[in-house]
Amino acid sequence: MTSPAVSVPASRELLIFSQRNLNDNVSRCSGFEFEDVIAEIETAQLIAPRRAKEHRLPYNPRRWLSKRTELFRHWPSGVRKTRLDRDYDLFFCDAQKPQELLALDAIPNWRERCGLAICVLEEVWISDLERHMPLVRTLADFDLIGCAFAETCEALQRITGKPVIHLPGAADMVRFAPESLTADRPIDVYCMGRRRPEIHDRLLKVIKERAGFYLYDSATKPPIAADHKVHRDLLANLVQHSKLFMVDIAKIGHADQKRGNVAWGPRHVEGIAGGAAQIGYAPESEDYRRYFDWPDSVVRLSEDPDEAITQIIALLDNPTELDRMRRINLAGALAKHDWLHRWAQLLDHLNIPHSEGMAKRAETLLQISARLSLADQQIPAAE
């Protein structure tokens, strides 16, 4: 790749644009955690604007225009504005969906004041690109785009003319890694968020018969989080006390949203990050195999629900096997799935040197691995 025209030193200053005061949906907590880790390992300032008014219009003209014309740029988003009065070497923006880019007018002169700019998109289906084309084209203002959905990267690069790399979710391993691998795990199965009804109904029955503990969400609408750090602490604690963690392909049961695309999200990292054994369903895709290149990263359940339940019970009844899988998976998570590794991918693509803070965090991850006696753990290669 051609080196960027702007050179960014190891002792750089970074500006992080955060949506944490604009979106309190629990699904955004992972991205805010990414921002926190970056702020910890870089010399960074974080700007998190708020809405100019508490009440909202029944419709958003800027959002409506962004699906139809470039003129949306001239309609305010309703977010309080902050003009930069100094320069930064790097600008970083994490957006869950393209619509969140509408709030960038909160910093009117961000492009003029920042040397290089990086945008990470957590959830962009190919069908969303056409639906939000005028807005998607504004991503050309960035020097590098990280996209969590591998299938969307090529189309994004074609539209924007800027390099796009696959950048999946991760976890704060300092937060998620358990204190001990021998501690009690009273939760038999933890299923977070969406679930397959045919599996769920059977699990309810069989875990009750075993006098076990099946943890699942009961909310019918997306919950909100008053504090993303508190939510991530809770999630980490729950996973650290779970034997099995359920994963699935993104948007299971919502074919209208994914329109044939196949993707996986940060949930495929969070289970192994907390030391649980992962069960469920994962894509048979090259991008998934690249990040989870060992056979025990997930126990793929049968599509037959009765057979799937038999697999789950067999694992619960085999603590020796569960312990072996947990050790392998946690070693893999510490080596490949901390937010440090995702930040390094972005910087490496732009030929930007790693910071001293990054080196310190890498050392911390090694210390955690040594504390859990995982330093010499051999991660088997995929067949």
Side-chain angles (χ1 to χ4, degrees):
M1 157 196 159
T2 303
S3 298
V6 179
S7 176
V8 177
S11 56
R12 64 271 183 156
E13 294 193 9
L14 170 70
L15 179 64
I16 300 173
F17 175 73
S18 177
Q19 305 265 349
R20 61 187 63 196
N21 290 328
L22 301 173
N23 191 338
D24 54 9
N25 191 295
V26 71
S27 65
R28 288 301 277 117
C29 293
S30 174
F32 300 154
E33 182 181 78
F34 188 15
E35 296 168 355
D36 289 343
V37 171
I38 295 173
E40 184 181 299
I41 60 180
E42 298 283 351
T43 301
Q45 178 184 352
L46 188 145
I47 292 182
R50 298 179 183 274
R51 298 191 184 279
K53 297 180 181 179
E54 287 302 319
H55 67 276
R56 302 182 185 181
L57 294 171
Y59 65 95
N60 187 323
R62 183 172 167 89
R63 178 172 294 191
W64 184 88
L65 288 168
S66 72
K67 298 179 182 180
R68 295 161 175 83
T69 171
E70 301 285 346
L71 294 175
F72 81 89
R73 289 175 177 260
H74 304 287
W75 191 283
S77 66
V79 176
R80 294 176 186 171
K81 289 181 169 49
T82 300
R83 290 193 67 85
L84 302 178
D85 57 6
R86 50 164 297 192
D87 293 334
Y88 295 86
D89 298 298
L90 273 171
F91 180 82
F92 177 77
C93 168
D94 179 287
Q96 185 179 58
K97 299 178 182 179
Q99 299 94 304
E100 289 193 353
L101 298 171
L102 293 169
L104 273 173
D105 71 337
I107 311 178
N109 60 338
W110 69 268
R111 184 62 278 189
E112 293 79 28
R113 285 291 194 174
C114 300
L116 289 177
I118 300 170
C119 182
V120 169
L121 295 169
E122 296 179 18
E123 184 180 322
V124 190
W125 303 99
I126 292 177
S127 58
D128 286 341
L129 299 180
E130 187 64 36
R131 189 178 303 117
H132 300 278
M133 187 57 72
L135 180 57
V136 170
R137 289 197 186 102
T138 66
L139 285 165
D141 292 338
F142 291 88
D143 299 288
L144 177 64
I145 303 162
C147 180
F149 289 0
E151 289 187 353
T152 310
C153 291
E154 183 179 349
L156 260 180
Q157 184 160 318
R158 184 175 64 252
I159 293 168
T160 63
K162 293 300 175 70
V164 180
I165 65 170
H166 179 219
L167 196 85
D172 179 353
M173 289 302 304
V174 177
R175 167 180 277 133
F176 273 77
E179 286 298 315
S180 168
L181 279 173
T182 59
D184 187 30
R185 289 178 176 260
I187 302 171
D188 292 304
V189 182
Y190 182 15
C191 181
M192 182 176 68
R194 295 180 181 88
R195 54 180 177 258
R196 302 193 180 201
E198 62 277 13
I199 300 290
H200 175 68
D201 293 343
R202 288 167 171 79
L203 268 179
L204 282 173
K205 182 176 182 294
V206 73
I207 297 296
K208 183 177 180 179
E209 291 173 348
R210 292 167 58 92
F213 188 176
Y214 171 35
L215 180 62
Y216 54 90
D217 292 333
S218 58
T220 57
K221 293 182 179 180
I224 62 174
D227 185 324
H228 73 277
K229 293 181 181 180
V230 171
H231 173 74
R232 295 298 284 181
D233 286 343
L234 173 61
L235 174 59
N237 193 263
L238 290 172
V239 178
Q240 289 163 2
H241 290 85
S242 300
K243 297 182 182 74
L244 302 178
F245 185 79
M246 186 80 73
V247 297
D248 212 322
I249 296 169
K251 294 290 186 184
I252 185 67
H254 291 262
D256 59 317
Q257 295 183 40
K258 60 184 183 177
R259 302 286 179 87
N261 295 152
V262 177
W264 51 279
R267 196 168 305 166
H268 290 260
V269 174
E270 291 158 348
I272 62 174
Q278 290 196 150
I279 57 171
Y281 305 90
E284 291 284 1
S285 57
E286 189 276 332
D287 62 276
Y288 188 86
R289 290 191 292 271
R290 183 169 68 252
Y291 282 90
F292 300 94
D293 55 353
W294 65 95
D296 297 299
S297 60
V298 59
V299 174
R300 296 175 183 269
L301 297 179
S302 169
E303 292 291 342
D304 180 279
D306 291 322
E307 292 180 4
I309 295 299
T310 299
Q311 290 177 268
I312 293 171
I313 299 306
L315 278 172
L316 290 175
D317 288 340
N318 192 342
T320 301
E321 176 65 6
L322 281 180
D323 179 70
R324 184 190 70 83
M325 292 173 57
R326 282 201 299 268
R327 291 179 180 278
I328 291 172
N329 287 340
L330 189 53
L334 284 163
K336 303 182 69 167
H337 293 294
D338 183 64
W339 287 119
L340 168 69
H341 303 121
R342 302 296 182 264
W343 182 237
Q345 284 179 257
L346 293 167
L347 298 189
D348 291 346
H349 200 84
L350 291 171
N351 295 323
I352 298 174
H354 291 195
S355 67
E356 182 179 336
M358 295 174 68
K360 290 181 178 178
R361 186 171 181 92
E363 178 60 31
T364 298
L365 296 178
L366 289 175
Q367 291 172 359
I368 294 173
S369 182
R371 170 171 59 79
L372 295 171
S373 301
L374 298 171
D376 299 322
Q377 176 69 59
Q378 295 297 312
I379 303 177
E383 296 179 357

